[in-house]
Amino acid sequence: MPDATGESKFAHADTGNKKTRDRSCFLALSLVLVLATLLRVQHIESVGVSFDESFTMKMIEFSWPEMLTRISLETQPPLFYALLKLWANLFGNTILAGRIFTSLWGIAGVWAMFLFIREAYRDSSLSNKERFEQATFPALLAALILAMAPLQLFWTMQIRMYSMPLTLALFSAYFLMRALNSPDQRMRDWTGFTLTASLLSYTHYFGLFVLVAEYAFALGYGLVLRRNNQATTGEVASGALVSPPLNNQWLLVLLSASIVSLAYQPWLPYFLSQRQHVASSFYHPELSWAVWGTAFDQLWMGEGQPLSAWRGLLFSQISFGVLLIVLTGKRPGDVLITLCSAVPVACVLVFSVISHPIVVARYLMFSQLFLIAALAVAVSQIPLKSLASLALIGACGWLGWGHYEYRNEMASCPGINAALQSFHAGTREETLIVSNPMLFTSAIVYSTDQSRLRNYLPQRGFPFYQGTPVMREEEYITLRSLDDSDLTVVWTLDSRGRTMGRVPLSKNWKLESESTYREWFTTLFLRKYTRHHSPPVEVVL
């Protein structure tokens, strides 16, 4: 009788503790999501639109058939553009609407990180307290780090496809772990994994590297990890997860991979064409220790910060060490996290050596997602985890604060909006000639009359990565056609630096005025010219 009473009280206390922890977890996750939201809506409309954003906004203005044709001339898959176009049809093709769309994906990514880590390390054979320490705590810590990561913040707030595939990568990993851990729900979870994997493949090409890691893990999971687990634990305890038959598991993995592969076939010819296009004319700096270090430094420091190659190389070594530490745990989650972080980096390095350099910080964000997960898992397993967690949160908070201040600085720049307001304040018949498609696409976002804007066209043209896939022929103007026109006044919009260049007007035009506007990514020059008539030539008889 006393034993029964004692067990009943213990069970009741354990249930009460579980409810308390669940409430605390819900509150903590809610606070993390609130923080992620606040950071991702900071100056959401007031920061000047970048070339990447304006390029995207212009792309979705075309009809569906023309948009798909023009996307094939770009370097990305079509899904993000398609969903953004549908979103714009509902809420408008504006800076605010576009940034809300990508920010929502970024916030969902923080939630997906929590779900993934908790699922990857859940073990029903453990007590409630042990499950919290092993799964829930690192899940909350990883979600918090991701919420504050500067480069993740920056690209979440850009109208570009990065927040969407990053979130899909986490959801695909989450559904994969559910499918492998829950045999009674595996068909539903395999469907979720296959769907998110297919969507990821159509959203960003670097997502394919994550899928390689996930399918490699899934194939080896039943063969190695489950066999090792059963060999060391013996009989499965009551309430613990039961491994599905290996043949069924292999069949489900191969079926999922086949579906994703078949779903990708319609886009494969366009992918191969884009790859050839990139290899022949796209520019990235050649792979070197300096390039690698700078990219890795920007990966953690974010945009707008002074970069250091040696510091980036140190970050790279620390990241490698963290992955090794996590891998020593030999748990399924440890292996998946290590593969999903290491495989994309390895693919980037191999591709850069044998084909074309692609070492860019924003591309490495797919690897960074799982590095963040590895950091949280590693810290949660050490003896002084409370102190180490506070130190990690403090370091990430400091980095996040740096991005917060940079965002304030970005919003303080009058930039291209002020330049276009100055131009439109003049005579309505005057024309503005922009130096480069990268700048032209941004200018038309703020223009109240796009018919008055033209883009200067040099004889050599522009490389495709400067925005030509979204340019119409009638939006260009040559210097010869300008000189032959009846215009008496023209304005030009140039940018400091060689990339966007300057409109090289002929001697027929005289500079009347020049204004400078500071934008967060460049300095703009708005110049006014009048046609200059040379004195008549005297004829001597």
Side-chain angles (χ1 to χ4, degrees), residues 334-355:
D334 299 330
V335 178
L336 179 58
I337 286 173
T338 302
L339 284 175
C340 288
S341 182
V343 168
V345 171
C347 291
V348 166
L349 292 175
V350 171
F351 192 86
S352 297
V353 171
I354 67 176
S355 180

Side-chain angles (χ1 to χ4, degrees), residues 51-105:
F51 157 67
D52 288 306
E53 295 180 286
S54 59
F55 177 92
T56 304
M57 294 174 69
K58 197 170 190 298
M59 179 68 81
I60 65 174
E61 290 179 353
F62 298 103
S63 65
W64 286 98
E66 186 175 1
M67 184 181 76
L68 290 175
T69 299
R70 290 177 178 271
I71 290 173
S72 67
L73 303 175
E74 217 250 293
T75 60
Q76 300 294 345
L79 182 59
F80 172 78
Y81 291 114
L83 294 182
L84 183 62
K85 185 176 179 66
L86 294 174
W87 177 272
N89 289 339
L90 293 174
F91 302 104
N93 189 16
T94 65
I95 298 174
L96 178 61
R99 287 177 177 169
I100 288 177
F101 179 76
T102 55
S103 293
L104 287 174
W105 277 104

Side-chain angles (χ1 to χ4, degrees), residues 56 65 74 82 89 108 159 213 221 266 274 291 293 306 319 369 371 392 416:
T56 304
E74 217 250 293
N89 289 339
I159 309 174
Y221 184 80
Q274 289 180 336
V291 168
S319 301
L369 283 178
L371 276 173
L392 181 59
I416 195 167

Side-chain angles (χ1 to χ4, degrees), residues 189-317:
D189 296 322
W190 277 113
T191 300
F193 169 63
T194 304
L195 177 60
T196 51
S198 297
L199 295 176
L200 177 56
S201 69
Y202 269 90
T203 310
H204 198 283
Y205 291 130
F206 275 66
L208 298 175
F209 299 152
V210 177
L211 294 182
V212 169
E214 290 178 344
Y215 278 108
F217 169 78
L219 288 172
Y221 184 80
L223 183 62
V224 179
L225 298 176
R226 284 296 182 93
R227 286 180 177 175
N228 289 346
N229 184 60
Q230 292 175 0
T232 55
T233 59
E235 295 295 328
V236 179
S238 176
L241 298 176
V242 179
S243 176
L246 290 180
N247 291 338
N248 290 349
Q249 195 172 85
W250 276 76
L251 179 62
L252 290 170
V253 174
L254 295 176
L255 178 61
S256 173
S258 299
I259 292 173
V260 173
S261 178
L262 288 173
Y264 198 70
Q265 294 308 304
W267 187 252
L268 184 59
Y270 298 102
F271 163 71
L272 296 176
S273 175
Q274 289 180 336
R275 182 185 177 280
Q276 182 62 35
H277 207 27
V278 168
S280 62
S281 58
F282 203 81
Y283 172 76
H284 280 314
E286 294 294 330
L287 180 62
S288 66
W289 287 114
V291 168
W292 175 256
T294 302
F296 224 88
D297 193 43
Q298 189 178 44
L299 184 67
W300 292 103
M301 298 301 295
E303 295 281 349
Q305 306 300 324
L307 299 179
S308 167
W310 71 264
R311 185 174 58 197
L313 293 173
L314 179 61
F315 284 154
S316 178
Q317 294 299 310

